[in-house]
Amino acid sequence: MTSNRDIFRIIVFAALILSTFAFSQNRKQELETRRQELRREIQKISELQAETKSKAQSELSLIEDFNYKITVLNNLIKITNQQANYLTREINANQKKITSLRAELKQLKEDYAAMVVKSYKSKNKQSKVMFLLSSTDFKQAYKRLQYIKQYANHQKQQGETIKAKTVELQNTNQDLLKQREEKERLISENRVTQRTLEATKKQHESLMQSIKKNMSRYTAQIKAKQQEADRIDREIEKIIKAAIARSNKRVGKSESSTSFALTAEEKILASNFVANKGKLPWPVEKGYVKLRYGNQPHPINRSLTIKSNGVRIATEKGAQVRTVFSGEVIGVITLKNVNPLVMVRHGNYITTYKNLSKVYVKEGDKVNTKQVIGEVATNRATNESVLSFVVSKESDTQDPAAWIYKM
């Protein structure tokens, strides 16, 4: 007799199998979703790079593009390999299942054949009647009648089981065929990706060899570019400090404070901004990140450090710039030899949109999520359109990838 403890163990075991299966299916779906995202990313890179082919890109910019494309291609190969490995495990499991089902089906058919033979030998009504009449008493006759019924039901049930197992075996064989086809497709795609990666690496290496011949000139360009970025960042910091001073003066607090004095409405706005962390829309509809947030070695001269307070997004010519959340414009800045930038305040958070060719808002304007505030500038010499985007809490910059959806 099965005890309560045995029943509990069976339930726990079944639950573990189901949860493992569910986890495996979810993991497979996650990998496929990520693989498709990476394929779209490569497509975006190819499309946007095609726009710049009409004019000579700078070597610095090309190196950035190659580095990013190599990273994405490596990630795609890695994800596809993981998918293929999952399929290999599933194929092996299905092959074992098919072997087990065939053995089980063979035994069921043998048992069923034996039953049919036995039933045939005693199928005439007279033998069944004699079997009942030879009973010593009513009780034995009743039991023999029940046995005849049970035997007939068991024979029928055995036939149904054989049908069900046959269907299960057919379905498993079909699943196995699909898995093998899918695995072969993934392997074939990975071969193409690998060839693209190798070609991109060769282009990267060839360009680096050319650059190394004039490393001093490129190093000077890199330093000048970083100095310009630092100058813009200092101006942004001045705007933020001025906005904090105005905010504090309005409520009678110290103007030297480094934090915004928020009204009840601004507190709600800041809270909503934080609640949408990781879900904010991209500041442009189409693009990819060329330069990520934080201090990082320069891809050409690794002894130099890039200080990136935000991200640089390569996009299409004439791309519209959109606010990532509702707020108030606290600055529209135009510096010498620098394209305009717009700063939007969201409570005590600020988003900054740099390198605009056109600006459609002015200081003090209220803006909504995804409202177009300008257009990205296109470099006439290189034909590149790149938006610089910054997220900060007061004057402290933060990684935009943590705020923007799937950045």
Side-chain angles (χ1 to χ4, degrees):
M1 185 176 178
T2 306
S3 67
N4 289 336
R5 182 178 292 179
D6 290 335
I7 293 171
F8 176 74
R9 285 174 178 169
I10 291 168
I11 292 170
V12 170
F13 181 69
L16 283 171
I17 291 173
L18 288 172
S19 63
T20 302
F21 175 77
F23 174 79
S24 178
Q25 292 302 108
N26 288 339
R27 179 60 178 153
K28 275 179 64 181
Q29 187 57 50
E30 285 174 8
L31 287 171
E32 178 58 21
T33 301
R34 181 62 182 139
R35 190 174 73 88
Q36 293 301 333
E37 286 173 358
L38 289 168
R39 285 171 64 84
R40 286 193 293 271
E41 191 82 355
I42 291 169
Q43 181 66 26
K44 282 191 290 185
I45 295 169
S46 300
E47 288 174 359
L48 292 173
Q49 284 181 340
E51 286 187 3
T52 63
K53 278 186 178 179
S54 58
K55 294 190 179 181
Q57 266 185 283
S58 70
E59 285 84 351
L60 298 178
S61 179
L62 279 169
I63 285 294
E64 287 177 356
D65 287 345
F66 284 139
N67 281 346
Y68 184 73
K69 191 171 183 179
I70 287 168
T71 299
V72 176
L73 287 167
N74 275 322
N75 285 338
L76 179 58
I77 290 169
K78 181 181 176 183
I79 292 292
T80 308
N81 281 335
Q82 287 177 0
Q83 281 186 286
N85 289 337
Y86 261 99
L87 283 169
T88 299
R89 287 194 286 272
E90 287 187 346
I91 288 168
N92 291 338
N94 272 344
Q95 285 174 332
K96 288 179 182 177
K97 185 179 178 182
I98 287 169
T99 302
S100 175
L101 280 170
R102 282 175 178 164
E104 191 177 350
L105 198 54
K106 182 182 177 183
Q107 187 62 51
L108 283 169
K109 286 179 178 180
E110 287 175 356
D111 293 345
Y112 187 74
M115 261 195 294
V116 169
V117 171
K118 187 176 180 181
S119 177
Y120 178 77
K121 288 179 179 179
S122 59
K123 69 178 180 178
N124 60 76
K125 291 183 179 179
Q126 187 178 358
S127 62
K128 290 181 181 177
V129 170
M130 291 301 296
F131 179 63
L132 290 171
L133 290 176
S134 63
S135 304
T136 56
D137 53 32
F138 177 78
K139 186 176 180 180
Q140 189 181 55
Y142 177 77
K143 285 184 176 179
R144 288 185 176 186
L145 180 62
Q146 291 299 110
Y147 169 76
I148 291 170
K149 288 180 179 179
Q150 287 175 0
Y151 188 81
N153 287 336
H154 177 64
Q155 188 174 346
K156 183 181 178 182
Q157 187 180 14
Q158 195 80 341
E160 294 297 326
T161 303
I162 289 171
K163 285 180 184 177
K165 289 292 178 183
T166 302
V167 171
E168 186 179 357
L169 179 59
Q170 289 170 346
N171 290 339
T172 306
N173 274 320
Q174 288 175 358
D175 288 343
L176 181 62
L177 184 62
K178 288 178 183 176
Q179 286 165 347
R180 282 174 172 165
E181 288 174 353
E182 186 180 355
K183 181 181 176 181
E184 188 55 42
R185 178 178 59 81
L186 289 172
I187 291 171
S188 178
E189 283 185 11
N190 240 11
R191 289 194 191 104
V192 175
T193 306
Q194 189 68 46
R195 287 196 291 270
T196 304
L197 175 61
E198 288 168 4
T200 306
K201 282 183 174 179
K202 283 181 180 178
Q203 289 177 300
H204 178 273
E205 289 169 8
S206 175
L207 184 59
M208 281 300 297
Q209 289 299 322
S210 173
I211 287 171
K212 284 176 182 177
K213 295 175 183 177
N214 296 292
M215 185 60 78
S216 59
R217 177 166 64 86
Y218 288 110
T219 299
Q221 288 179 10
I222 293 165
K223 288 180 178 178
K225 200 171 182 180
Q226 185 65 59
Q227 287 171 356
E228 183 182 275
D230 291 341
R231 180 167 69 95
I232 295 170
D233 289 339
R234 286 193 296 271
E235 289 298 321
I236 289 171
E237 194 171 345
K238 286 179 185 178
I239 296 291
I240 293 172
K241 284 181 178 179
I244 291 173
R246 289 196 302 272
S247 171
N248 292 337
K249 184 178 180 181
R250 187 181 63 236
V251 295
K253 289 191 175 182
S254 171
E255 294 181 34
S256 62
S257 174
T258 56
S259 301
F260 282 104
L262 302 178
T263 63
E265 184 181 349
E266 288 167 345
K267 285 179 181 178
I268 293 171
L269 181 62
S271 177
N272 289 337
F273 185 79
V274 173
N276 282 278
K277 188 173 184 178
K279 296 180 285 186
L280 297 176
W282 281 59
V284 287
E285 190 173 349
K286 180 181 178 182
Y288 65 92
V289 177
K290 286 188 66 167
L291 179 67
R292 295 208 168 262
Y293 174 83
N295 294 340
Q296 50 208 283
H298 197 279
I300 288 179
N301 186 340
R302 300 189 72 80
S303 66
L304 298 177
T305 299
I306 301 173
K307 183 185 175 185
S308 175
N309 285 336
V311 292
R312 290 175 59 202
I313 305 170
T315 185
E316 56 194 349
K317 187 175 182 179
Q320 294 184 326
V321 180
R322 315 174 302 180
T323 52
V324 299
F325 204 71
S326 57
E328 180 187 346
V329 177
I330 61 168
V332 177
I333 308 170
T334 302
L335 302 173
K336 185 180 179 181
N337 300 324
V338 177
N339 288 318
L341 64 88
V342 174
M343 299 172 67
V344 180
R345 179 185 168 196
H346 320 276
N348 57 340
Y349 288 88
I350 296 163
T351 52
T352 303
Y353 312 78
K354 307 179 191 176
N355 193 37
L356 308 185
S357 60
K358 297 177 182 178
V359 177
Y360 303 143
V361 291
K362 62 184 183 301
E363 186 177 334
D365 283 355
K366 300 287 185 180
V367 292
N368 299 313
T369 304
K370 286 190 176 182
Q371 180 174 328
V372 177
I373 58 173
E375 289 182 14
V376 178
T378 298
N379 187 309
R380 292 182 180 180
T382 65
N383 209 34
E384 291 180 288
S385 305
V386 179
L387 174 73
S388 293
F389 175 71
V390 180
V391 178
S392 59
K393 183 179 181 182
E394 270 95 26
S395 296
D396 297 324
T397 59
Q398 302 195 1
D399 186 356
W403 291 88
I404 305 300
Y405 181 68
K406 290 187 177 180
M407 181 176 277

